[in-house]
Amino acid sequence: VALGGVALGLAIYYTFASIDSVNQALREATGNSAVFVLRWMGWPAVREGLQVVPGGFRLLVVTEHTPLASIALVTGAAMAYPAALRSKLLCVLMAGLALYAINAARVASLVYLGAKAPAPLVDMYGLVWQSLMILVPLLIWLLWAGRDVLKQRR
């Protein structure tokens, strides 16, 4: 069952990442959400094509900057778990919304850091945010699965 969940997650990721129009839309939405967060923080930022531009720094939004992998991870885990389909879909929807918001903060923080203090940018991206974008979906799934187990015991 676990391998089936992993396979489903990978299939979702690579399917959506390989469809150009979907990939483009995800990258644009990621750029827009990062610009929204930056403006909310009081920073003048714009999206130019697939780039987020706050002043002189430019971040090209690539597929890895989208929340697609994290959402695929939690989707595969939820679909492999023995629960009612409605519960699985609710898990995927709620996780997707939460991961999208977290990802907007991630990309905005990377843009801010790149513009203000570029030296730690690579470490912040690779060590901190990548780790969180793996751990958070797993934590969401564990909370959902634990809640589902408690619900079944009643």
Side-chain angles (χ1 to χ4, degrees):
V1 173
L3 284 176
V6 170
L8 177 62
L10 288 172
I12 290 168
Y13 177 78
Y14 286 109
T15 299
F16 284 113
S18 67
I19 300 172
D20 288 338
S21 59
V22 173
N23 191 351
Q24 177 86 5
L26 284 170
R27 291 168 64 194
E28 289 174 359
T30 298
N32 286 336
S33 63
V35 166
F36 174 82
V37 171
L38 288 165
R39 287 182 179 171
W40 178 73
M41 292 171 38
W43 242 47
V46 295
R47 183 177 66 82
E48 295 177 0
L50 292 175
Q51 295 184 347
V52 176
V53 184
F57 181 78
R58 292 177 174 272
L59 176 76
L60 175 64
V61 178
V62 296
T63 305
E64 291 77 16
H65 294 148
T66 70
L68 180 59
S70 298
I71 294 170
L73 176 64
V74 79
T75 300
M79 291 304 161
Y81 187 77
L85 181 60
R86 181 174 182 216
S87 179
K88 292 177 184 188
L89 294 175
L90 185 61
C91 172
V92 171
L93 175 66
M94 298 307 288
L97 292 173
L99 291 167
Y100 187 82
I102 291 167
N103 191 66
R106 170 179 83 133
V107 174
S109 73
L110 293 172
V111 169
Y112 184 83
L113 190 61
K116 291 290 189 182
L121 180 64
V122 172
D123 290 337
M124 188 68 165
Y125 176 74
L127 298 175
V128 177
W129 278 115
Q130 289 297 81
S131 300
L132 284 173
M133 293 306 284
I134 294 169
L135 293 174
V136 168
L138 292 175
L139 179 61
I140 290 170
W141 178 79
L142 286 170
L143 291 171
W144 168 77
R147 183 182 152 277
D148 192 66
V149 166
L150 290 175
K151 197 166 131 181
Q152 288 177 8
R153 286 186 181 166
R154 290 184 205 164

